[in-house]
């Protein structure tokens, strides 16, 4: 069963699981409800000194309890990088996994870079631009 919650973010899904020995389609017992929340974070790699491990800094906004301003909160997580493919400054997504070591509970997954020129890609090329490209191609051959 899938539940929504007012205290969870809109991207968090809560699952209610029945007891392990219950049959399919069984309702969860009152005292045996287990709540599983999917946790995915996005951050920037800040260190790659350890083998198969990256340090990822996740920045989020939190409202101050007294002044009600939003302030940046930074937290650093250790994530598993089996191929040592990430460099400092890469943006990665952290996916929760089984505990790999004492401090590693996440797996680092690459995030495709955001394209700031997306609007230009969606629009068709101008006729003057396409004419210049074809003229350049003819002179090159």
């Amino acid at each position: 069963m899938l539940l929504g919650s007012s205290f969870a973010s809109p991207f968090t899904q809560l699952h209610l699981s029945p007891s392990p020995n219950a049959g399919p389609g069984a309702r969860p017992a009152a005292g045996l409800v287990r709540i599983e929340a999917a946790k995915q974070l996005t951050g920037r790699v800040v260190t790659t000194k350890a083998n198969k491990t990256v340090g990822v800094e996740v920045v989020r906004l939190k409202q101050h309890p007294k002044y009600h301003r939003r302030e940046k909160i930074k937290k650093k997580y250790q994530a598993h990088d089996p191929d040592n493919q990430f460099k400092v400054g890469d943006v990665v997504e952290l996916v929760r996994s089984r505990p790999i070591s004492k401090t590693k509970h996440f797996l680092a997954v690459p995030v495709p870079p955001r394209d700031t020129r997306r609007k230009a890609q969606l629009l068709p090329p101008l006729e003057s631009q396409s004419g210049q490209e074809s003229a350049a191609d003819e002179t090159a051959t």
Side-chain angles (χ1 to χ4, degrees), residues 32-100:
L32 300 175
V33 175
R34 186 178 69 187
I35 298 176
E36 300 171 357
K39 190 168 190 180
Q40 292 181 347
L41 304 168
T42 303
R44 188 170 300 274
V45 175
V46 292
T47 183
T48 58
K49 291 182 180 178
N51 188 26
K52 297 185 180 181
T53 303
V54 291
V56 180
E57 186 177 65
V58 176
V59 179
R60 65 184 182 91
L61 293 175
K62 180 183 174 189
Q63 192 172 18
H64 190 277
K66 182 176 180 181
Y67 300 114
H68 304 291
R69 293 188 196 126
R70 291 165 50 141
E71 56 187 4
K72 286 185 180 180
I73 303 294
K74 295 179 184 178
K75 187 166 181 183
K76 190 172 164 188
Y77 295 94
Q78 299 294 320
H80 188 60
D81 177 18
D83 301 328
N84 290 325
Q85 63 180 343
F86 299 114
K87 306 285 186 261
V88 174
D90 291 347
V91 176
V92 296
E93 183 175 297
L94 301 179
V95 180
R96 183 179 245 166
S97 70
R98 64 177 178 81
I100 298 167

Side-chain angles (χ1 to χ4, degrees), residues 133-141:
E133 293 173 2
S134 62
D137 292 339
E138 291 174 4
T139 59
T141 56

